[in-house]
Amino acid sequence: MKYLSTRGGMPPKTFTEILLGGLATDGGLTIPDAYPKLSKDELAAMRGMNYRDLAFEVIRRFADDIPAADLKAIVDKTYTAEIFRNDEITPVKTLEPGLHILGLSNGPTLAFKDVAMQLLGNLFEYVLEKEDAEINILGATSGDTGSAAEYAMLGKKRVKVFMLSPLGKMSPFQTAQMFSLQEPNIFNIAVKGVFDDCQDIVKAVSNDLEFKAKHKIGAVNSINWARVTAQVVYYFKAYFAVTGSNEEKVSFSVPSGNFGNVCAGHIAKQMGLPIHKLIVATNENDVLDEFFRTGAYRPRPETQHTSSPSMDISKASNFERFVYDLVGRDPAVVKELWQKVDGGGSFDLSATPHFTHIQDFGFTSGESSHADRLETIRNIYQKYGVMIDTHTADGVKVGLEHREAGIPLVCLETALAAKFDETIHEALGRHAERPAELADLEKRPQRYEVMDSSVEAVKRFIVAHCG
Ligand SMILES: *Cc1c(COP(=O)(O)O)cnc(C)c1O
C-alpha cells in the first residue's frame, strides 16, 4: 500500500514512513492510494474472530510493510484483558433489542483514545528500535489526548513525552491521571495560562525547524494515520457482535470532534463492512453538523467551552480525509478548498454534485446541547440502569433521532462517566461509578513542573531533559 497526500504534493510513502510524522510534506493529510476491499469470504472468515485476530486482519492491510509476525506480536501485546480490563477489549452492551453501546473506554485513561494510542505506543517502540532512533513527543492537552499519549508511552525506552497543560484548568481526575505518573520518560508541564497558550507554545517550538530536528521533536496528534487505522477495527467488532449474518446492515452514532473516530467508520464502510448510516454527533460546537446538513464548512474563530469538552473543536483536523473521498479523490480540489480554510475562510459544496454524494457515503448528523446531555444521561440511567458520560450522551441523543426500524443502532461510548463526574452529578444527583483500582487516584503523589507561558522556558526544559 502506498500513502499519498490529500493535496497531491508528496511522493508515495509506506506505512512505516508516515508512522512517526504528522502532516504530509505539502501540508495535506496522508491517505492510502486505495482502500483494501474485503471479499464476502474474507468478511465471513472475520465473523467470530477475537479482537486481536480481527485487529491483525484489518491493520495488516494498511501496515503491509511490517512483517506479519512482527505486527501480530505488536497487536497481541497491545489488546490484552490486562490493559483493557476486559478480554472483549471493546464489549457491546445491549440496552434493548436493536440499541447498543459499544464500550471503547476500558483502557487506562477511561476514554476511547486508548484503543488507538496503546497500539501507537507499541508501533513507535518497534520502529524506533529498528531504526535505532529516538523521539521526544511534544504536545498540548486540555485533558484526554495528553493522558492517553502518556499512558501509551509509559516506560518506552526511546520515547520521552513533554506534555503541556493549563495549570489548574483540568478536572481533578484528569490532573491526577496525568500528574500521578512517576515514570522518568514522562514530563508534565503545567503552564500558567489557558489551553490556547499551551497550543501556541507547541506550535512555536514545532515551527523552529532547526530546534525540532536537533531535539527530535515529534507529535501524536489526531491526524496520525496509524491512530485512524486502529480505530477501524472496532467497527468490525461491533458489527459482528450485533448481527447474525453479513447480509444485515448496522448504523453507528459517533460523538465527534476532530473527525478521527467517524473517519475510521467511513473507512470500514469503504472496505466493505455493511454499514447503513454513519451518524456524526456534535455538541454546541457544530461545525461538522452544519457541513453535513448544508454543505458549508465554516471553521469558527471561537470554540465554546461545553460539558463534553473533548468535542470542543472549531476546526476538524481529520475532516480533510473524508472530503478527499467526497470530491472523488481529486487532490487539486482538496488543495483549493483548504487554501480557503488555511487562510481563515470557509467553503460551500452545496451547489456541487459532491454534496449529493454525502448520502452515498452514508453520512448524516445532528447536534446536542448541555440540556440534551443531562436529559439523555438521566433517561438512559432510568430506563436501562446504565450510566453514560457526557460525550456518549451526545452520541446517543443524536443517534436516537436517526434510528430506523429494523436496523441496529450502535452508539459509540467514547469515555466513562467517571471522567466527567460533575455533570453526572448534575444530571443524576449522584456520583459516577469508577473502576475500583482508581479509587485513590487523586490521593496519589503528583509529579509536574510549573512554568510560565514562555516558549523559551519550555525549550530550555526540553534541552535539559531530552538527553
Ligand atoms: C477525542 C474525543 C472525542 C472526539 O473524537 P474525534 O475522533 O476527535 O472526533 C469524543 N469523545 C471523547 C471522550 C474524546 O476523548
Side-chain angles (χ1 to χ4, degrees), residues 111-113 144 255-261 310-311 389 391 414-415 420:
F112 89 101
K113 290 192 173 69
D144 283 348
S256 293
N258 273 317
F259 206 76
N261 199 353
S310 301
M311 292 156 62
D389 99 292
H391 306 76
T414 55
F420 303 95

Side-chain angles (χ1 to χ4, degrees), residues 105 110-113 144-145 222 227 231 234 254-263 288 308-311 313 317-318 389 391-392 413-416 419-420:
S105 311
L110 315 188
F112 89 101
K113 290 192 173 69
D144 283 348
T145 313
S222 73
R227 281 179 63 184
Q231 292 172 175
Y234 50 69
V254 188
S256 293
N258 273 317
F259 206 76
N261 199 353
V262 75
C263 186
L288 289 169
S308 46
S310 301
M311 292 156 62
I313 60 100
S317 55
N318 271 291
D389 99 292
H391 306 76
T392 309
E413 166 213 86
T414 55
L416 289 194
K419 286 197 95 164
F420 303 95

